[in-house]
Amino acid sequence: MWEAGLQLEGIGARHWSDNFQLLPVEPDPSFIPAETPRRYSGLMPQKGWPGRNLRFLRHRIVPGMFRRNAGIMLEPVLAPPDADKVRVTWIGHASFFLLFAGHSVIVDPNWAKWHGPVRRQRQPGLDLHGVPEVDLVLVTHAHFDHLHKPSLKILQAREGIVVPKGSGTLVRRLGFPATYEVKVWDELLFDQLEIIHTPSHHWGARFLHDTHRDYGGYLVRAGGKSVFHCGDSAYFDGFEEIGKRYEIDIALMPIGAYEAPSGRDVHMNPEEAVRAFADLGAKLLIPMHYGTFPLGNEPHDEPVERLLAEADRLGIIDQILVPEEGVGIEW
């Protein structure tokens, strides 16, 4: 398998890992990989942003400060699923605990109560201190609601953390045994656990000056099952390319924050998420990135309502599963 520009602890190299040991691999000079254009949404807000931000402050931020958190925190189910299944547990926002028969992964862990003035509206589905050591932690991009340092400092991952190219400096001092920086289409293999970094249409800057940081999603494969975590993304034709390259069982798709106060093209609405799901050719859609933090001007319950309505209109309602936080879905 070809590895494109993987970086380990800040050193550019080509690597293959087997039985959790990294081994060097020589590139095949005759192989030229297909490239999917990166889609960067930019930093500048669109026309009308002052009014949208005022509405966001009055109707989302301020009421959210005084609203009591909904949901309950559960203990994770740690018994491994059957060899041909995966257990997917939504923790909240874009955070997921993926448990395969022989491997475990956490994606975008975030137990924050606040992000600046934005208060969490629903309890994390799992107790952070009850989450066991996993094989890997995956972070899709450097935004504060996806790369949450306090959560990362507590989690333990025996093989380390995977981040997009340019974000390694943000996590190297958080206690992980190894840091892997990856570019789009890079592939990592840890025993029977395979990680593939996929493209998205978003942006990766944590502040305003660090636009060099990459962003994307991940395909996680183990035990014959594949789970695609989209990360943050607007709709783009890259979903079709991902679907052509890989078979996907479960797609974790963002459906909220589409009424962005900035007006930028950075998130999918529910109908676009269904369209992306169809492009991917996945078998099951589990929504995310809604309800936990009020990040857009859309009504709180609208994302799921629109998602189910669109799925019903297209006759694929049986391919949509909307879980409660903390409840493991075995599939």
Side-chain angles (χ1 to χ4, degrees), residues 222-293:
K225 285 293 184 181
S226 59
V227 180
F228 171 70
H229 189 293
C230 179
D232 272 359
S233 185
Y235 178 81
F236 77 130
D237 55 11
F239 292 117
E240 187 173 356
E241 175 67 17
I242 296 168
K244 288 178 179 178
R245 287 174 178 247
Y246 306 107
E247 182 176 335
I248 299 171
D249 291 311
I250 301 173
L252 311 177
M253 304 298 293
I255 65 167
Y258 44 88
E259 294 290 345
S262 68
R264 291 183 299 134
D265 184 26
V266 290
H267 297 116
M268 287 183 282
N269 62 39
E271 293 79 13
E272 290 169 329
V274 172
R275 181 182 175 189
F277 171 69
D279 290 348
L280 292 165
K283 299 172 184 175
L284 181 71
L285 186 158
I286 294 178
M288 64 170 179
H289 204 275
Y290 71 94
T292 308
F293 297 102

Side-chain angles (χ1 to χ4, degrees), residues 8-42:
L8 174 61
E9 293 294 339
I11 302 174
R14 298 177 189 274
H15 289 284
W16 178 260
S17 66
D18 186 17
N19 295 324
F20 301 97
Q21 299 296 316
L22 288 173
L23 301 173
V25 167
E26 293 299 323
D28 179 357
S30 66
F31 181 75
I32 301 176
E35 293 290 339
T36 295
R38 304 294 285 139
R39 303 299 183 89
Y40 191 75
S41 66

Side-chain angles (χ1 to χ4, degrees), residues 77 87-91 95-98 126 325-329:
V77 177
R87 184 179 302 120
V88 178
T89 304
W90 183 41
I91 300 168
S95 307
F96 282 87
F97 176 38
L98 308 180
L126 299 179
E325 295 95 329
V327 177
I329 304 299

